[in-house]
Amino acid sequence: MNDCAMLASNIKFKRGNKQILNIEQFCLEKGETMALIGINGSGKSTLVQVLALLLKPDDGSIFFHGEEITPQKMLRFRRRMALVFQESLLLDTTVYNNVASGLRLRGFKKSEIDARVMDWLKKFGVESLASSSTRFLSGGEAHRVSLARALVMDPEVLFLDEPFAALDFPTKKALISEFSDILKATKISTVFVTHDPHEIPVMANKVTVLEAGKVIQSSTTQDLFAHPVNDYVAFMANAIK
């Protein structure tokens, strides 16, 4: 498993008496973009939050580039990841200040902050909004700023929990296409949760199917179509076509 950017082994997570996750093994390979799919309640968002170190599993181990993540190393590994939620959750300040906030907290010099912030705003086509208040952004603009805020930190692993779900179709289509090109260029190891099958062929190298908190199949989209392991996976695969 030397090619895994993140490896989760024997992960168990409960809420009350209900078993939410029972993951024997999950591997996100270096440089790949993985779609995480499954019906509502299958454990997708919970798995993302466990991998992003926001939730502590009841059992199991998580490895980052082969090194086990322990409580003592938690902050160091969190700094090498980024997570984008469905809602943009922007600060009530300017676009520039939102994207610069994480770099400031880590003590970057102003000149480097300026360069990195404007570079990512330009990549997402919102550099002209740098001095604008986030209060007046459209949904698509807010999502672009949210993605820029995550990527300006130069994460090695990126998690996306249905980041495009709230957007109208034309805005979503344009942003997904642009973002897919960015992921291919940067080769950031990425997991994204989605209920929209149209996102998968554009963005994903691999698809992992969850059911009742378990990984049922993890493969390329083509292999998912050709060799679904059961009827549930076949149903999910047909939705992508």
Side-chain angles (χ1 to χ4, degrees):
M1 291 296 171
N2 292 333
D3 291 332
C4 296
M6 291 205 76
L7 173 66
S9 178
N10 298 315
I11 296 295
K12 292 179 172 57
F13 183 85
K14 286 184 177 181
R15 283 196 178 97
N17 294 322
K18 185 177 180 182
Q19 187 84 52
I20 306 298
L21 293 178
N22 187 7
I23 305 290
E24 184 176 336
Q25 185 167 285
F26 173 94
C27 171
L28 172 67
E29 294 185 10
K30 297 172 185 175
E32 79 176 355
T33 300
M34 176 189 290
L36 197 58
I37 65 173
I39 62 172
N40 287 337
S42 58
K44 303 181 298 298
S45 293
T46 303
L47 177 57
V48 162
Q49 291 182 55
V50 167
L51 294 172
L53 309 180
L54 297 181
L55 290 176
K56 185 179 184 299
D58 299 308
D59 199 6
S61 302
I62 301 173
F63 298 84
F64 192 98
H65 290 284
E67 185 176 356
E68 185 171 5
I69 298 173
T70 62
Q72 295 79 13
K73 303 174 184 176
M74 196 82 71
L75 181 59
R76 174 160 61 89
F77 285 113
R78 278 180 180 160
R79 288 177 171 171
R80 298 166 68 182
M81 308 174 187
L83 173 60
V84 179
F85 292 101
Q86 180 176 333
E87 299 297 327
S88 298
L89 302 175
L90 298 176
L91 303 171
D92 187 11
T93 181
T94 65
V95 165
Y96 179 96
N97 285 338
N98 268 274
V99 180
S101 58
L103 297 173
R104 287 171 175 161
L105 285 171
R106 296 189 190 176
F108 281 79
K109 294 181 179 178
K110 186 179 185 304
S111 58
E112 185 172 359
I113 292 173
D114 286 344
R116 288 174 66 159
V117 169
M118 295 312 297
D119 179 50
W120 278 105
L121 290 180
K122 185 175 182 180
K123 285 177 180 177
F124 281 104
V126 289
E127 69 272 25
S128 64
L129 300 174
S131 60
S132 299
S133 169
T134 56
R135 293 184 183 186
F136 305 111
L137 299 180
S138 68
E141 289 167 347
H143 275 68
R144 289 171 186 272
V145 173
S146 184
L147 291 167
R149 183 174 62 181
L151 293 180
V152 77
M153 303 304 296
D154 196 21
E156 295 172 55
V157 176
L158 177 65
F159 299 102
L160 307 162
D161 194 354
E162 296 193 73
F164 313 113
L167 300 178
D168 61 81
F169 182 74
T171 302
K172 179 190 292 190
K173 184 178 180 181
L175 183 52
I176 288 171
S177 177
E178 293 173 33
F179 188 51
S180 177
D181 290 340
I182 288 172
L183 289 179
K184 289 171 185 174
T186 59
K187 294 182 171 57
I188 299 170
S189 307
T190 302
V191 177
F192 72 99
V193 175
T194 183
H195 281 104
D196 185 348
H198 298 97
E199 297 176 10
I200 296 170
V202 180
M203 290 183 59
N205 310 116
K206 186 182 286 185
V207 182
T208 293
V209 183
L210 290 188
E211 183 181 24
K214 296 181 180 181
V215 173
I216 305 302
Q217 186 166 346
S218 188
S219 63
T220 64
T221 309
Q222 293 76 14
D223 192 49
L224 204 72
F225 295 152
H227 307 291
V229 297
N230 59 23
D231 291 342
Y232 174 77
V233 174
F235 170 77
M236 301 303 299
N238 284 330
I240 302 170
K241 291 182 180 179

